[in-house]
Amino acid sequence: GFRLNCSPEDCNLYSLVEAVEGPMPEGECILGLSLCADETKCPIHDTWKEIQAAFRSTMMSTSVSDVVEADKKKREALEQIDSLVSLAVGE
């Protein structure tokens, strides 16, 4: 297991993944081309760069607490659905 060195509210997913996996690679070509860069772009370079930036931004703006709270809400919703199904089938 792991132990956070910050509060769940202050620890973002980017920092968490980076602590466990190491720095996230930047600028790697999704097609695996070694010469893919801003100067020598592959056909999807610009799109992939935008996707990476959006992913990084989302990871940096999402806290561990956000994930825990979202999971809690999903579990509560599933429990309510399960209760309704049980009532409907007469359990």
Side-chain angles (χ1 to χ4, degrees):
F2 297 94
R3 185 176 184 151
L4 296 176
N5 65 354
C6 55
S7 72
E9 295 81 13
D10 295 330
C11 190
N12 66 49
L13 295 183
Y14 186 85
S15 298
L16 184 65
V17 170
E18 197 170 51
V20 174
E21 300 290 331
M24 295 179 81
E26 291 189 35
E28 287 188 11
C29 179
I30 191 159
L31 298 178
L33 303 176
S34 59
L35 296 176
C36 183
D38 287 338
E39 303 81 33
T40 55
K41 299 176 183 182
C42 77
I44 60 171
H45 179 83
D46 291 330
T47 302
W48 181 240
K49 195 170 177 179
E50 288 176 25
I51 291 168
Q52 285 181 311
F55 177 74
R56 186 172 287 105
S57 176
T58 300
M59 295 286 283
M60 292 178 99
S61 65
T62 304
S63 71
V64 172
S65 180
D66 294 335
V67 174
V68 169
E69 192 60 36
D71 182 64
K72 190 183 300 183
K73 287 179 183 178
K74 288 177 188 174
R75 289 176 188 269
E76 289 170 359
L78 288 172
E79 287 175 11
Q80 289 177 349
I81 291 170
D82 191 42
S83 294
L84 290 172
V85 169
S86 294
L87 287 173
V89 296
E91 289 183 9

